[in-house]
Amino acid sequence: MLVIISDLHLGDGTTADSISPSAFRLFARRLTETARFASLRRDGGYRPIESLDVLLMGDILDPLHSARWLDTSSSDTNYIRPWSDTSSPAYAAKLLEVTNAILNHNDEAMQILRRLASGEEIRLAPANSKGEADFQSTEQLPLKVRFHYMVGNHDWYYHLPGAAFDRIRSEMIQKMGLCNPVSPFPYDADESPILKDLFERHKVLARHGDIYDKFNFNRDKGRDFGTVGDAFTMDVCNRFPLEVQKRYGDLLPPGIIDSLRKIANIRPVLAAPLWISGQIRHYAGEHPLEDELKSVWDEIADEFLQMSFVREADKAFRFDTVDAMQLIVKLSGRASFATINDVVIWVRKKMWSGKHSFASHALKEPAFLNGKAQHIIYGHTHHYEVVPLGMNIAMPTPESQIYFNSGTWHSYYDLAIQNPKEQKFVPYQALTYLTFYTPEEHDGRRFETWSGAYA
């Protein structure tokens, strides 16, 4: 039995809040229930399963959404950001600081993961002489959960080689109950014999999916390098609330700073200006400081666009993500937030229309084309999906092939599609997980999905 979750985005509390520990308690209860059903075999008998694997498919811890990186400026000799030189000792030291802060901030959730990994959380009834579950038995069989960590675009740092990063991964393994070795956590299943075997046994192919997002993956450099998306998140979205607090905190209405910290939860990310203007309207109405707050945005956005890292990413003669951000932030120097809103809405339609699906990419996966995988799974978009891809008729019994997106465990403020100029963001929390069975488990069932939202 293989369970896949992704995009938990657990933070250290310096920007938006992580999903609550209650989500992990719910997950533990559902894993217990699912393990019991998986023990009902295809031949009609009951045999307790002996293994349960959970794939943490990227963006689990979220060092990128930490303000701790912002304690230095570009003029400092010890300046460090996620896209800085990873061989610098200061880089690993900062990543260790941020990682430990995330683990400590989410300690209650980490305890649940460790209990699942140690076999303290899930107990299965033994089988009696008739091959049935003996629920009256005083003996309960502990089932240990094996957690496997893959990286995505918000936690790619754990893919970096070297002793300093091994130390960081060792901390994660201990506090999260992972079964990974301390060597670089895999980005692709080909980097892990254990994952390759799991995927083959369950006929799945799984990857985070950021490889299909040019805003958050650089195809020329690969996964061990930062992206423009990293820089925009860190030096604009994370920095803006800190600058506002520093300059005008005592003059602003209560609540506005905390609301600006939630930029990390805005979807899509380039809708940040809409959120800002909407929060000013909500908390302050025609507050006299609106122009000052816009000036703060202008200043840090212009500094962002002047960063050598961002300029190097720009590509001449074609509309790309840097150009999109230039349209947004450069207009802000001579236009109101309302004008910026119009541009954001246009950019969203041009580059990320609606709920962007990666399903078409699954059609090109070798594992789909050669029929080795029935199920293609991506994360990253946070948009849970089940999309039929085709039928593999080359098998003795034709097999359906399906694309899944693993959704997210996240708190959201999502831009409403009705009159987006009105800057309405709908809050909710989402939790999704996918379960895949081997042919003999759960009466021959091949997969289940569960996706919930609550507010």
Side-chain angles (χ1 to χ4, degrees), residues 295-350:
S295 295
V296 176
W297 175 268
D298 295 343
E299 180 182 328
I300 65 173
D302 189 60
E303 289 177 7
F304 160 76
L305 290 172
Q306 296 306 313
M307 291 169 56
S308 59
F309 176 76
V310 175
R311 292 202 308 272
E312 289 168 4
D314 200 2
K315 295 179 174 62
F317 309 117
R318 75 178 228 211
F319 187 89
D320 64 4
T321 52
V322 175
D323 297 314
M325 287 183 288
Q326 286 175 336
L327 278 174
I328 294 168
V329 301
K330 284 194 172 180
L331 270 177
S332 67
R334 57 183 181 273
S336 68
F337 271 129
T339 303
I340 305 168
N341 294 346
D342 293 339
V343 178
V344 171
I345 293 164
W346 178 78
V347 169
R348 181 180 185 178
K349 289 179 179 178
K350 183 174 178 63

Side-chain angles (χ1 to χ4, degrees), residues 83-150:
W83 51 92
S84 298
D85 180 5
T86 59
S87 65
S88 166
Y91 191 100
K94 177 57 68 175
L95 181 60
L96 177 62
E97 174 194 339
V98 174
T99 301
N100 278 329
I102 295 172
L103 294 170
N104 292 333
H105 186 69
N106 296 277
D107 182 62
E108 189 174 347
M110 298 299 103
Q111 290 181 41
I112 296 170
L113 294 185
R114 291 197 301 270
R115 286 178 57 84
L116 285 165
S118 66
E120 299 173 67
E121 199 72 30
I122 299 179
R123 296 283 195 276
L124 298 179
N128 61 23
S129 59
K130 297 180 181 179
E132 301 168 338
D134 186 359
F135 295 111
Q136 304 304 315
S137 173
T138 57
E139 177 190 12
Q140 295 291 303
L141 307 176
L143 180 64
K144 294 182 178 182
V145 178
R146 296 193 295 246
F147 288 102
H148 311 269
Y149 200 119
M150 289 182 78

